[in-house]
Amino acid sequence: MSELISVSLPGPWWTKLTYLHTETLAIGVRVSVPLGKSKRIGIVVEKDDDTFSNFSQLKFIEKVIDEKPQIPDDLLKTIDWFRKIWFVSFGMAAKIFLPTKFFSDEPLSTPIFPNKDIVSHKFNVEYLYEVNDSKRMELYKNLLETSSGSVLILFPEASKAKEFWNSLDEACKSRGLLWPTTQSEKQWKVWKEIRVSSPKFIVGSQTASFAPLNDISLIILDEECSRAWYTLKKPVFHFRPIISMRAKFASAKLVLGGRIPSSKAFIHCREQYKNSTIKKDNSKLVFVDLHNSSFFDVDAVKNCIPISKPLINRTKDTIALGKWALWILDRKGYAGEIYCEDCGSAIKCPCCGGTMRWKSKKNLLSCIVCGKTQPIPSSCPSCGGPFLEGVRPGLEALAMEAKKRFVNITKSVILFENDGEKVPSPDILIKENPNGALLIGTRKLLALTDKLDVDLIGWVDADGEARIAEYDAKLRAFCLIFESLWRGLSPESRTVLIQSRAPSKNWQASLGLGWNSFWKHEIEEREKWELPPFFPMIKVTIPKYCVNKFVEDLDKQFFDFWQSEENDCELWIRTKKFEKLYSLFSSYFEIKNVKRGFPDITLFLD
């Protein structure tokens, strides 16, 4: 007698495909199944309660690849939890969590997984916030040494993971491994090996979060508030809640650490850190009021660029002492946009409608969304007007002006735009500039403080860091500048200069006092307006063919939602009823809708 088997494939649809097999298969094993004219690798999942009557239409599973599930139980449960919260299929969630080659018919050796019913440790959460990086790393080492089972130590940046690994002694390293970063073949090889070798611990960044490590008793998540933990591809998610759930399913201790807690972590640990403040040091943190500062004209750009006398003078003093200075402006190119003086229209990308940045070096426009480039037009595409000008000067304009200010040391002024290039190697920078230099670039430059003894960091437009139209804009700005105060080598002797139109006010006032001061006001405001973490928010972009029906469904089930004024296909939903919403979404993610398209969902939890 044949058994009904439900299989989930890595695809945008949620539909479980039903096949026949001669015997029952365990949830989590890989199978090769026919789909149309091709064959696909899927994962056996739990069957629905619905009875299936038309057996004549069903096909048999082509091949059973595994005898038993190839990933530990805690990871299987995490994948299933993720698909319910982030509104994806089990197969798509597994594709996100697991190596690409997992979805092949390559045979795998039988893993050594412990009995999931016999666990000697239990889930709990601890908080470890320390602004000094080296002190925090020592605390992590102590936790590693005293842990009974396996340990995952995770960092938002691969360079920080490698730095922590290199700080361990050889005896300790022999019991663990450093997770590979960019080499997919090597990652796959290590992924397969650790299922049977079971190292004591793994140190790594994002992709190490889902390593199939056995008997996890401790997970350390460093800089848990960092935006570097966000994915760049859809579905967009922050690793922290997923790693937290994995720790819960593994009955492991979870240590959330960093320089500053996230909003949800702050709510849980504020009593523990209620007396945690930083003594304000006016010599370390310098505010400059841009209303009383100098502004320099930029050719063909409407706005001026602000470079204050204190920033110029302190930079000259830093370079004269043979030290390093950073100027940070998160705006690449020569200017942020190009406008028509006649009609006021900005030049948009012809492919996606995104903003086109002016790249002066190549006299090109570059889309900040899709990356398409094109020459600067001779006239306005909208009205034909001949007068086009840039707005909001960028890094290229800033570097040009800096070289005028430092005419005697122009070779010591280095522009780094992070436009497809890696952060400069600290070793090469030191070799080429033994007497220090001024580095101009985006926030990516902060990583250099790990190896360079940076004496001065200047934020050219601190207000711009909080100007984005997002509910967490102030947090993003605070975290960036707070990081520049404390990250890397010798932060105690570093000066951070902030050019602002509202110096030492609002969120900026908390920089010298610490995150306790910042979160106290920010949490009150978010709770008042029912923003995350108090209420999850979900952004949904619906295909045109089903907008009206989707709105009707939301109305019938009394969801709190609103449509975007600019785009009827874009809706925002505020709810905690995820199971109910998942059920509502299901009909829109059936496999029959492949050609008509599926909704696009972005979740905001924290």
Side-chain angles (χ1 to χ4, degrees), residues 106-253:
E106 179 181 336
L108 298 172
S109 55
T110 303
I112 303 172
F113 294 145
N115 188 332
K116 60 186 178 184
D117 298 322
I118 304 174
V119 181
S120 59
H121 37 79
K122 63 179 182 179
F123 172 71
N124 70 301
V125 184
E126 294 184 3
Y127 304 93
L128 200 166
Y129 298 103
E130 166 58 56
V131 295
N132 186 289
D133 288 356
S134 56
K135 289 181 181 178
R136 197 168 68 254
M137 296 308 113
E138 288 302 316
L139 293 171
Y140 291 162
K141 290 177 188 177
N142 291 337
L143 287 168
L144 170 61
E145 289 299 327
T146 57
S147 178
S148 58
S150 301
V151 181
L152 271 176
I153 308 174
L154 304 169
F155 297 88
E157 301 170 20
S159 60
K160 294 297 289 184
K162 187 175 181 180
E163 183 183 334
F164 179 82
W165 173 261
N166 290 337
S167 71
L168 301 174
D169 59 49
E170 293 304 318
C172 183
K173 287 181 183 178
S174 67
R175 304 194 303 273
L177 65 86
L178 176 64
W179 189 258
T181 52
T182 57
Q183 300 178 32
S184 57
E185 285 292 336
K186 190 172 181 181
Q187 275 191 5
W188 177 234
K189 181 181 178 182
V190 171
W191 193 93
K192 290 186 292 184
E193 287 176 353
I194 63 176
R195 295 158 55 259
V196 294
S197 63
S198 190
K200 165 69 176 177
F201 68 94
I202 293 175
V203 177
S205 52
Q206 284 91 338
T207 53
S209 305
F210 312 124
L213 193 60
N214 296 340
D215 190 32
I216 299 176
S217 64
L218 171 66
I219 300 178
I220 298 173
L221 187 64
D222 188 48
E223 290 296 0
E224 55 92 9
C225 188
S226 171
R227 288 195 63 80
W229 282 112
Y230 271 103
T231 56
L232 299 178
K233 297 179 181 179
K234 292 186 179 295
V236 176
F237 64 88
H238 194 285
F239 278 74
R240 180 185 58 251
I242 295 96
I243 294 169
S244 300
M245 287 307 297
R246 184 174 187 189
K248 185 174 183 179
F249 290 131
S251 299
K253 178 194 291 187

Side-chain angles (χ1 to χ4, degrees), residues 48-59:
D48 292 325
D49 294 333
D50 300 338
T51 58
F52 200 94
S53 57
N54 196 350
F55 282 75
S56 62
Q57 294 183 352
L58 295 181
K59 296 180 181 180

Side-chain angles (χ1 to χ4, degrees), residues 539-555:
K539 177 183 175 183
V540 186
T541 304
I542 299 288
K544 286 186 178 180
Y545 78 87
C546 60
V547 171
N548 292 337
K549 184 179 184 307
F550 185 72
V551 170
E552 288 176 8
D553 289 344
L554 290 172
D555 266 331

Side-chain angles (χ1 to χ4, degrees), residues 215-416:
D215 190 32
I216 299 176
S217 64
L218 171 66
I219 300 178
I220 298 173
L221 187 64
D222 188 48
E223 290 296 0
E224 55 92 9
C225 188
S226 171
R227 288 195 63 80
W229 282 112
Y230 271 103
T231 56
L232 299 178
K233 297 179 181 179
K234 292 186 179 295
V236 176
F237 64 88
H238 194 285
F239 278 74
R240 180 185 58 251
I242 295 96
I243 294 169
S244 300
M245 287 307 297
R246 184 174 187 189
K248 185 174 183 179
F249 290 131
S251 299
K253 178 194 291 187
L254 173 68
V255 175
L256 298 177
R259 299 183 195 92
I260 173 174
S262 58
S263 60
K264 192 170 289 186
F266 172 76
I267 291 171
H268 289 288
C269 75
R270 55 183 159 189
E271 280 301 310
Q272 176 184 340
Y273 287 94
K274 63 182 178 181
N275 297 320
S276 174
T277 57
I278 298 173
K279 186 178 180 180
K280 192 168 183 178
D281 185 348
N282 292 327
S283 64
K284 178 177 174 60
L285 184 61
V286 178
F287 289 97
V288 176
D289 192 337
L290 285 180
H291 290 104
N292 303 320
S293 297
S294 301
F295 287 81
F296 299 94
D297 292 330
V298 178
D299 290 341
V301 178
K302 182 177 181 180
N303 311 98
C304 300
I305 199 159
I307 307 178
S308 63
K309 287 183 178 179
L311 180 59
I312 292 172
N313 292 336
R314 285 176 181 264
T315 303
K316 284 181 177 179
D317 293 343
T318 296
I319 297 177
L321 293 171
K323 297 183 178 181
W324 295 88
L326 308 180
W327 285 9
I328 298 177
L329 178 66
D330 250 11
R331 193 158 54 239
K332 302 174 189 176
Y334 186 69
E337 290 181 90
I338 287 187
Y339 275 82
C340 171
E341 287 187 9
D342 292 332
C343 69
S345 298
I347 298 178
K348 298 294 184 180
C349 176
C351 293
C352 70
T355 299
M356 297 292 280
R357 181 195 303 121
W358 180 2
K359 293 172 65 70
S360 178
K361 286 181 181 178
K362 299 179 180 178
N363 203 32
L364 291 174
L365 297 179
S366 174
C367 177
I368 65 173
V369 177
C370 70
K372 178 181 173 57
T373 59
Q374 68 176 48
I376 297 176
S378 57
S379 59
C380 174
S382 297
C383 71
F387 301 111
L388 300 174
E389 65 177 353
V391 293
R392 292 180 287 119
L395 285 171
E396 289 183 24
L398 176 63
M400 290 168 60
E401 194 59 44
K403 289 183 178 181
K404 293 178 185 177
R405 300 304 110 195
F406 306 109
V407 65
N408 296 325
I409 51 171
T410 54
K411 290 184 179 180
S412 296
V413 179
I414 303 168
L415 172 63
F416 167 66

